Amino acid sequence: MPDRTTDTPDSPDTSPDGPSDAQRIVADLDLETKVRLLSGTDKWHTEGIPAAGVAPIMLADGPHGLRKQPKEGDHLGLGGSVPATCFPTAVTLASSWDPALLEGVGAALGREARAQGVSVLLGPGLNLKRHPAGGRNFEYLSEDPLLAGRLAGALVRGVQSEGVGACSKHFASNHQETFRMVVDTLVDERTLREQELRAFEIAVTEGRPWTVMCAYNRLNGTYCSDHRWLLTEVLRDEWGFDGLVMTDWAAMNDRTAATRAGCDLEMPGSSGAFDAETLAAVRAGDLDEADVDRCAVRVVDLLLRAAANRDPGATYDPDAHHALARRAAAAGTVLLTNDGTLPLATGGPASEGDPDHVATLRSVALLGAFATRPRFQGAGSSQVNPHRVDDLRSSLTERWSASQVRYSPGYAPSSGATTDHLVAEAVAAAIDAEVAVIVAGLPGSYESEGFDREHLALPPGHTRLIEAVLDTGTPTVVVLLNGAPVVLPWAHRAAAIVEGYLGGQAGGAALADVLLGDAEPGGRLAESFPAAVADLPAHADFATHPKQVQHREGPLIGYRFHDTAGTPAAFPFGHGLSYTTFDISEVEVFGAGTDRTVTATVTNTGDRAGSEVVQLYLRSPRGTLWRADKALVGHAKVHLDPGQTQTVELTLDRRSFAIYDVAQAAWLVEAGSYELLLGRSSTDILATETITVDSADVLTPGPIPEGHRATEQEFARLLGRGEVPAPDPVQPFTRNTPVADLDATALGARVQQLLLVGARRKVERDVPAEDEAMHRMFESVLREAPLRAIALLGDGKPSLRTIDAVLDVLNGRLRDQMEAGVTRIRQLLKLDDDPR
């Protein structure tokens, strides 16, 4: 049987001490009230129970900063929000490999939420980075389940230490933005258990979040909101989760099925769009009222928990949080390459008592519009309204005189496009400088919630600028601001490359700290940077079909692929340089069986303070199942002064060695010789120790694909099916038909335009024309949303019954009668405008 958590508090509906407060309250409610509790009252609030003195609560986005919308709001960042600290995004925080830091950031997020009356913060996101082009990768932590789970657990603990609930999301396998609301993720159970679900399991058992958010997509044929195996059998029965499951915004597919599956709360409120169907199902005997009661109890339990932690007088210190954001950004900054140019030679930072301070470097060319208009966060539901934003140019000129820093924009900040004049101006500045610093990366229109990237290249304008400046011969440092891996064909020519990722509101100052050596580049990659995206086995099945994605690569994502296939990454998982040097020695292994402790001595052998990340990987015996070359099983970050030594201790247990046997539904350990590899990255291994593990477990042999991507027949066997399921057909149209598919018929095409025109007008009215990322995101969301989402995001207007009536027209006798069909649908949807 699968491992179970042994220290889980009793859930609200299983207390051995009798009914809980939530149970007693729900027992006094009528069916209509209980059903009403299962959806929100608006975009951000739950229902309350006035008669019982139970107040509603507010939820808000917040993976890296609070996004509380003071008015009705929306779920994609269209409307404004109250000012808040914008911390570095998840990709940057994860690069710190520092759970203590993330717990501190989580606590700050919790303080800000509590001060704003927000009871649940919607984060962290911890879907694994299956493909580097995932549009929302900046919001996720890692390609590795152990690292993602531990860091997510730390964030959760931090948030909840302040009496605010966290929400681990998106459960599960939401690895692409393309048609995310309808796509069916096909993945074999062993891969699912050992990768994506392992990350969530660690976050749930170590962090104990108040809530979990189900994903939009289907998982092996079933929408995550309706997935009883996922939400009840795995999450609750196996892992001991005792909190509430909510939908992602408009992810509810079928409330009756969802209630039966253990999805407690539909968000946002849809004015009871599903209530009539749910009531009818109970009265017809198709849904047990006990299932409604269980969900209602969990909703009320959350409301009571939030009320017990509410503090109307709570405040926070924005300056202290800005300083924390600055430290976190530096800790997540990764030094990819360095020929000794960094840190930039200075006489030390300027001070008030030394107004005549002069840096050793007499001139620096600072190039790239991101130096003054930084990209510091991603677009979409996580977009924060920051208290302030530091930029690199201002931060450098606080230390150096303005005459020492010659700035040239090099490209347009919103698009990345450049001109001959902009390039020539930048080249002239570089020629006259001792060092050139180029700030490049990805504009928001290149990566965002709502759409995936089409390639891994920088904008052509950025590449042109970089290559032109490199051609001058001036030592050139390239600073990258982006939310996910990029390909860097010129990397060998740069004096140094600094991956700043998306550093939050203090990212500009943190970059100045790193470049000048006032802070070290503390980051190590939590994801691999491929040399070419076509190398990846996941690439052939990434965002290629609107209805289905096949995970034929199995466990081979990120470093698990690169190190297994012998296809080197451009920059491997765990990589990152320092301004000092470290010696890792005296590696020893203690213990027996699977209970092992690995110790190592780490010494700072340089002349600067710095940090090192010690990484432990396990190489398993080549046995009866498909395996990657190695897997991360432990890590520790140490901060050391010059000459200081510290012993690190990494502990392994049975789960460190176990693999999931689908046939036996159990985590089993294969007997044999294992290698423990200690190093600085997945490829920079410093010490290898071989141990023997005895085990009575007998694993069930499974299919092993001949290559690194399963064939269709091999994938069917991995899925345990006779054949790979076919994607859903476009017709007949259903509630889950995306708007983009309506043009399969002439009548559907007219209806598609009717729907899109009104939505586009709202976007054009509310979104500035220069915000290309937001426009592109909304265009993708509008076209790829299923028809049911029109009702769910429109406060139940039109109703689901109206959507069904529209479908009857589209699929029925009027489908070939254009004018009659359009007229009837316009009447149903109450649309006045015809886009012809």
Side-chain angles (χ1 to χ4, degrees):
M1 294 296 293
D3 292 351
R4 294 176 183 269
T5 303
T6 58
D7 60 349
T8 302
D10 295 307
S11 64
D13 55 347
T14 59
S15 171
D17 301 322
S20 66
D21 290 342
Q23 279 183 305
R24 284 190 287 270
I25 291 170
V26 170
D28 291 335
L29 303 178
D30 59 34
L31 178 61
E32 288 78 3
T33 303
K34 290 186 290 190
V35 168
R36 190 167 61 249
L37 279 172
L38 307 189
S39 63
T41 189
D42 58 23
K43 291 292 188 295
W44 298 112
H45 294 84
T46 67
E47 293 279 358
I49 312 173
V54 179
I57 63 171
M58 184 175 191
L59 305 84
D61 284 313
H64 58 268
L66 180 68
R67 190 177 75 90
K68 176 186 177 182
Q69 294 188 299
K71 297 182 180 179
E72 180 183 352
D74 63 273
H75 75 297
L76 286 173
L78 183 62
S81 58
V82 301
T85 305
C86 181
F87 288 94
T89 62
V91 64
T92 320
L93 292 175
S95 298
S96 73
W97 289 61
D98 190 341
L101 174 66
L102 270 72
E103 192 162 342
V105 170
L109 291 169
R111 284 191 291 274
E112 297 200 18
R114 196 174 188 185
Q116 290 290 348
V118 171
S119 296
V120 176
L121 201 65
L122 302 177
L126 63 149
N127 297 105
L128 296 190
K129 300 182 182 185
R130 173 180 180 250
H131 193 286
R136 211 169 177 181
N137 278 4
F138 62 85
E139 262 191 81
Y140 300 138
L141 292 160
S142 181
E143 66 190 32
D144 180 81
L146 179 73
L147 185 60
R150 285 183 174 175
L151 296 179
L155 277 166
V156 168
R157 289 193 301 274
V159 171
Q160 295 184 171
S161 71
E162 296 294 327
V164 172
C167 182
S168 297
K169 63 182 187 180
H170 305 89
F171 193 56
S173 295
N174 185 176
H175 299 136
Q176 65 181 56
E177 292 299 284
T178 304
F179 287 94
R180 62 181 179 171
M181 297 186 77
V182 297
V183 73
D184 187 9
T185 301
L186 300 184
V187 56
D188 69 276
E189 185 178 355
R190 182 175 160 238
T191 295
L192 181 64
R193 291 271 194 172
E194 295 183 7
Q195 303 293 317
E196 180 90 354
L197 295 190
R198 181 61 178 144
F200 276 95
E201 179 184 9
I202 294 169
V204 165
T205 56
E206 294 188 3
R208 307 194 61 76
W210 291 9
T211 68
V212 166
M213 180 187 290
C214 78
Y216 285 119
N217 52 282
R218 288 181 289 174
L219 179 60
N220 290 327
T222 302
Y223 276 96
C224 289
S225 63
D226 305 349
H227 215 304
R228 180 175 174 80
W229 177 83
L230 184 69
L231 304 184
T232 293
E233 295 177 27
V234 173
L235 178 63
R236 290 191 167 98
D237 296 345
E238 293 184 22
W239 301 348
F241 175 67
D242 64 345
L244 173 141
V245 174
M246 71 179 77
T247 66
D248 202 341
W249 264 230
M252 180 63 75
N253 173 58
D254 177 338
R255 171 84 76 72
T256 299
T259 303
R260 193 181 296 120
C263 184
D264 307 306
L265 178 64
E266 173 201 352
M267 288 301 293
S270 57
S271 297
F274 282 108
D275 285 7
E277 293 181 6
T278 308
L279 291 167
V282 174
R283 290 165 179 156
D286 296 329
L287 176 64
D288 195 325
E289 188 169 352
D291 291 327
V292 175
D293 290 349
R294 272 188 286 272
C295 292
V297 165
R298 287 191 283 257
V299 172
V300 174
D301 186 67
L302 176 64
L303 303 184
L304 296 177
R305 182 182 289 187
N309 287 279
R310 192 171 289 122
D311 181 3
T315 61
Y316 69 96
D317 183 345
D319 292 333
H321 286 190
H322 185 79
L324 173 60
R326 183 171 177 171
R327 293 195 302 274
T333 297
V334 183
L335 184 59
L336 295 178
T337 68
N338 187 22
D339 67 0
T341 299
L342 292 181
L344 297 177
T346 71
S351 65
E352 293 182 3
D354 185 17
D356 298 323
H357 172 88
V358 177
T360 303
L361 280 174
R362 294 182 299 278
S363 61
V364 173
L366 181 61
L367 313 173
F370 281 179
T372 59
R373 293 179 57 183
R375 179 148 184 267
F376 59 93
Q377 64 175 325
S381 61
S382 67
Q383 193 158 291
V384 179
N385 176 17
H387 286 295
R388 58 180 124 159
V389 178
D390 295 338
D391 67 82
L392 180 57
R393 183 186 185 187
S394 298
S395 299
L396 287 176
T397 54
E398 287 177 2
R399 295 160 167 82
W400 290 344
S401 67
S403 62
Q404 291 173 274
V405 181
R406 181 177 173 183
Y407 168 71
S408 178
Y411 54 80
S414 60
S415 67
T418 192
T419 64
D420 292 344
H421 173 73
L422 287 172
V423 172
E425 183 180 71
V427 165
I431 290 172
D432 291 340
E434 293 175 79
V435 173
V437 176
I438 303 176
V439 188
L442 297 177
S445 58
Y446 271 60
E447 57 177 352
S448 167
E449 179 178 358
F451 59 86
D452 296 306
R453 286 195 286 163
E454 298 171 2
H455 54 75
L456 302 189
L458 295 175
H462 288 220
T463 299
R464 182 183 172 192
L465 171 67
I466 292 168
E467 292 181 340
V469 172
L470 289 171
D471 287 344
T472 66
T474 299
T476 300
V477 176
V478 180
V479 176
L480 298 171
L481 302 183
N482 47 289
V486 289
V487 291
L488 308 171
W490 40 261
H492 61 287
R493 301 175 60 198
I497 303 174
V498 176
E499 177 54 89
Y501 280 123
L502 303 179
Q505 67 179 48
L511 283 172
D513 293 339
V514 169
L515 292 175
L516 300 181
D518 296 341
E520 65 146 356
R524 305 295 185 269
L525 292 178
E527 59 191 355
S528 306
F529 275 46
V533 70
D535 291 340
L536 307 178
H539 185 61
D541 303 292
F542 176 73
T544 56
H545 193 287
K547 299 292 183 66
Q548 188 184 86
V549 55
Q550 300 178 10
H551 285 217
R552 294 200 194 183
E553 74 283 354
L556 302 184
I557 66 170
Y559 73 91
R560 284 173 165 81
F561 161 70
H562 291 291
D563 297 352
T564 301
T567 303
F571 299 102
F573 177 81
H575 170 73
L577 304 179
S578 176
Y579 289 156
T580 187
T581 54
F582 294 91
D583 178 68
I584 300 176
S585 61
E586 300 177 13
V587 178
E588 296 185 89
V589 181
F590 303 95
T594 57
D595 294 326
R596 303 279 181 158
T597 299
V598 179
T599 63
T601 300
V602 185
T603 302
N604 183 343
T605 56
D607 58 2
R608 303 173 63 96
S611 64
E612 179 67 292
V613 176
V614 180
Q615 302 164 39
L616 180 64
Y617 297 86
L618 179 71
R619 179 175 288 141
S620 302
R622 300 295 106 187
T624 56
L625 295 171
W626 193 14
R627 297 175 187 258
D629 172 69
K630 65 173 75 74
L632 183 74
V633 291
H635 57 90
K637 187 163 191 175
V638 294
H639 301 266
L640 300 174
D641 290 328
Q644 186 179 4
T645 295
Q646 181 176 329
T647 299
V648 299
E649 185 174 290
L650 303 171
T651 302
L652 306 182
D653 59 16
R654 178 177 171 84
R655 282 299 294 273
S656 303
F657 294 84
I659 59 178
Y660 191 78
D661 188 303
V662 176
Q664 299 183 59
W667 290 93
L668 303 180
V669 174
E670 189 166 17
S673 294
Y674 291 79
E675 290 182 343
L676 295 169
L677 305 99
L678 196 77
R680 293 191 174 98
S681 76
S682 73
T683 60
D684 186 6
I685 302 301
L686 305 175
T688 300
E689 298 288 336
T690 301
I691 62 172
T692 299
V693 174
D694 296 323
S695 174
D697 295 343
V698 178
L699 274 67
T700 307
I704 301 177
E706 292 186 7
H708 300 117
R709 175 177 177 267
T711 65
E712 184 168 352
Q713 293 76 21
E714 290 169 337
F715 188 54
R717 289 197 295 272
L718 287 166
L719 293 174
R721 307 187 184 202
E723 59 183 12
V724 177
D728 286 349
V730 172
Q731 292 180 272
F733 298 135
T734 71
R735 286 184 181 182
N736 287 320
T737 293
V739 173
D741 278 0
L742 291 178
D743 60 9
T745 68
L747 176 57
R750 286 280 295 278
V751 175
Q752 180 189 80
Q753 288 305 305
L754 285 170
L755 294 172
L756 291 176
V757 164
R760 285 168 176 158
R761 285 177 179 168
K762 177 176 174 55
V763 173
E764 290 168 1
R765 183 182 69 241
D766 295 343
V767 179
E770 65 272 13
D771 193 340
E772 297 180 30
M774 194 69 76
H775 280 280
R776 185 177 176 192
M777 178 186 69
F778 271 98
E779 182 64 24
S780 295
V781 169
L782 294 173
R783 290 184 56 81
E784 297 176 5
L787 295 178
R788 63 179 157 82
I790 299 172
L792 302 186
L793 293 174
D795 284 334
K797 299 176 184 177
S799 68
L800 288 172
R801 289 183 62 184
T802 298
I803 296 296
D804 290 342
V806 169
L807 289 167
D808 286 342
V809 175
L810 288 170
N811 293 322
R813 62 182 179 80
L814 294 181
R815 67 180 181 274
D816 297 322
Q817 300 177 37
M818 178 69 70
E819 296 307 322
V822 170
T823 298
R824 178 58 181 147
I825 288 173
R826 289 176 64 193
Q827 292 170 345
L828 288 168
L829 297 177
K830 296 181 172 59
L831 297 173
D832 298 324
D833 297 321
D834 192 326
R836 287 183 302 171

